[in-house]
Amino acid sequence: MMRRERLRTSESPDGRKVATWRLVRSGARILRVQDRADASPAYRWPGREPLPLGAPGLVLFDELAPPDLATVREAFPGCLDLWNAVREDFWHALLDTSDLPASGTKG
């Protein structure tokens, strides 16, 4: 696996919300989101399956088919500040060529 596909973290400007995501091909795939100020029980999306051992305000997404940024932006409109931060970090990651294999090297 190339380093581009490593886990990445983005935070809302106030630091209250955090998303863990991965750059896959040319898109951001969201793996989890947490609102640190939300006391709601943790759950798995989209079915809202409870996660009794999860931290409050945590939402986990399907690891095998994680949603893209557009999907979570629509499903969680209250996290617009976080999705804007993910979008900004996504573009930085996408345009960063420092973690690509050197020309002529197998990666």
Side-chain angles (χ1 to χ4, degrees), residues 14-72:
D14 63 5
R16 191 179 101 182
K17 300 173 201 127
V18 62
T20 303
W21 58 281
R22 180 170 279 152
L23 179 62
V24 178
R25 291 184 213 90
S26 61
R29 296 296 178 163
I30 313 303
L31 302 173
R32 61 185 275 167
V33 63
Q34 183 173 13
D35 184 339
R36 296 172 176 145
D38 184 356
S40 300
Y43 66 92
R44 184 174 304 279
W45 186 87
R48 294 194 67 91
E49 172 191 340
L51 298 170
L53 300 178
L58 175 69
V59 179
L60 291 181
F61 301 101
D62 183 359
E63 286 185 38
L64 298 177
D68 63 16
L69 183 56
T71 300
V72 294

Side-chain angles (χ1 to χ4, degrees), residues 21 86-96:
W21 58 281
V86 170
R87 183 184 64 214
E88 183 176 332
D89 292 345
F90 160 75
W91 281 108
H92 285 286
L94 188 64
L95 297 175
D96 180 9

